[in-house]
Amino acid sequence: MFEAIAQAKPKKLLIVADGPRFPEEAEKCEKARAVIEKVNWDCQIFMNFSKTNLGCKKRIISGLEWIFSEFEEAIILEDDCLPSKSFFLYCQTLLDYYKNEPRITSISGCNLGFYDPTEKSSYRYSKFMNMWGWATWRRTFNLVDFEMKFWNVFRNSEEFDQALDKDKRWIDYWKYRFDKTLSGKVDTWDYQWILSNLYYKGLVVSPTVNLIKNLGYRSDATHTIHKNGYLENLQINNITLPLVHPPKFDISKKYENYIKYAWCGIYSSLPLKYKIRNKVKRVVGSVIK
């Protein structure tokens, strides 16, 4: 990943790092942080290193807080995300293009391998952000409620159902994940970002070709421990420049259906007891109405 950044030669490089989980990891953390010694181009380096292990949620959120306290916009890569050469210019072009467009909340580099030969634009719009290589602005970051204070009310609202196209299985899928995140059973930050985007009706940009490969499918990973042939073998491409912008702010239903079934494995991935509980709630609710 660093080699790809070195080819892009950014003028400002911000590095956020967590601390070791246990003493045996300390050496690995130091080796990872030593990557800054390889910067051999004209570049301002900013470092935000934690002495203790904060975990995925706290470390990334605190890192983003630090980034957006200093800068209005940023291109963000986690350590296991390999970008194509065109990823950086793609992001910077769209950061500039949509800087003052509040409907656009973030820019994804990974499209999860979705390709539609009928698309004439360089990217499409979606309600769902993929965090494997992305970019955004301070204005969006300031909207995200990482504590999910509004979730219990939004959860049972008509607005939430409409945001998920009133698809019962899709609604169940996200209720399950947002519930676990709020309870602290999932140590993450990105579900909160997706939830806030649904709440504020934001649009995410997704490229028509995939620009990011996730290298993190391995036994010592934090989340991507299990093999996934489909996601593990995603190929990266370069996007054609200059970009062709979509004529309208229309959400790509084809892409969102792809997300439902190919990426999220809608419904089949939910525990049986959760399916039954939500089915009972729907039946009881219908009887009451």
Side-chain angles (χ1 to χ4, degrees):
M1 187 267 281
F2 177 78
E3 290 173 1
I5 291 175
Q7 291 182 17
K9 293 181 171 57
K11 296 296 183 183
K12 294 182 175 66
L13 180 62
L14 292 79
I15 303 176
V16 176
D18 204 356
R21 293 171 293 181
F22 36 82
E24 292 78 9
E25 267 191 349
E27 184 180 356
K28 290 183 177 181
C29 284
E30 289 304 318
K31 286 183 178 179
R33 296 176 183 194
V35 72
I36 59 174
E37 298 172 7
K38 297 181 180 181
V39 176
N40 58 5
W41 66 92
D42 182 19
C43 176
Q44 283 184 276
I45 300 174
F46 303 81
M47 294 172 287
N48 189 280
F49 295 166
S50 177
K51 294 180 180 179
T52 60
N53 184 264
L54 301 177
C56 180
K57 177 183 175 180
K58 290 183 179 178
R59 175 66 290 205
I60 293 184
I61 292 174
S62 61
L64 292 173
E65 287 175 343
W66 169 67
I67 289 169
F68 291 110
S69 69
E70 300 290 333
F71 298 97
E72 289 285 345
E73 60 188 34
I75 298 171
I76 301 159
L77 284 162
E78 293 185 54
D79 59 316
D80 57 1
C81 295
L82 178 65
S84 69
K85 290 182 179 179
S86 59
F87 166 75
F88 298 97
L89 189 52
Y90 156 82
C91 285
Q92 191 58 62
T93 299
L94 293 175
L95 283 171
D96 294 340
Y97 190 76
Y98 289 117
K99 183 176 183 178
N100 299 312
E101 177 47 77
R103 285 176 289 187
I104 305 300
T105 52
S106 56
I107 300 156
S108 290
C110 180
N111 74 358
L112 300 164
F114 178 73
Y115 173 67
D116 180 1
T118 66
E119 287 183 308
K120 294 180 170 41
S121 303
S122 301
Y123 56 90
R124 82 275 296 190
Y125 303 109
S126 170
K127 294 189 288 284
F128 299 95
M129 175 187 171
N130 180 279
M131 285 75 175
W132 293 351
W134 57 292
T136 194
W137 305 264
R138 179 188 291 164
R139 60 172 172 79
T140 300
F141 177 77
N142 288 340
L143 290 175
V144 181
D145 176 13
F146 289 106
E147 300 307 314
M148 303 172 69
K149 298 182 184 70
F150 63 86
W151 169 232
N152 287 328
V153 174
F154 188 48
R155 185 186 194 280
N156 300 308
S157 67
E158 179 70 15
E159 288 77 11
F160 181 68
D161 290 354
Q162 289 178 348
L164 296 171
D165 305 319
K166 296 190 175 182
D167 183 328
K168 298 298 184 183
R169 292 182 298 176
W170 200 215
I171 291 168
D172 285 350
Y173 178 94
W174 284 110
K175 280 185 176 180
Y176 173 70
R177 273 148 183 79
F178 294 149
D179 285 346
K180 291 196 73 173
T181 303
L182 181 62
S183 69
K185 294 178 180 178
V186 176
D187 180 39
T188 192
W189 61 277
D190 52 353
Y191 285 157
Q192 297 93 312
W193 195 289
I194 291 172
L195 174 61
S196 291
N197 200 66
L198 293 174
Y199 183 78
Y200 288 107
K201 299 182 175 66
L203 294 178
V204 175
V205 168
S206 172
T208 52
V209 297
N210 185 50
L211 304 176
I212 300 288
K213 179 178 178 63
N214 191 310
L215 304 173
Y217 283 92
R218 36 192 274 182
S219 60
D220 60 347
T222 302
H223 295 114
T224 51
I225 300 172
H226 304 292
K227 292 286 185 179
N228 185 314
Y230 149 60
L231 292 175
E232 189 178 358
N233 296 314
L234 281 179
Q235 299 302 307
I236 55 176
N237 300 280
N238 283 308
I239 199 164
T240 302
L241 300 166
L243 298 177
V244 178
H245 304 289
K248 298 179 181 178
F249 286 100
D250 291 338
I251 290 172
S252 170
K253 294 299 183 182
K254 289 183 181 180
Y255 180 60
E256 297 218 331
N257 282 331
Y258 180 83
I259 291 174
K260 285 183 187 181
Y261 298 101
W263 181 34
C264 295
I266 179 176
Y267 203 54
S268 61
S269 62
L270 295 181
L272 179 60
K273 64 179 181 180
Y274 196 86
K275 296 180 189 177
I276 295 172
R277 187 173 69 191
N278 279 281
K279 180 68 174 178
V280 170
K281 284 183 178 179
R282 285 200 294 271
V283 171
V284 171
S286 296
V287 171
I288 292 173
K289 286 179 182 179

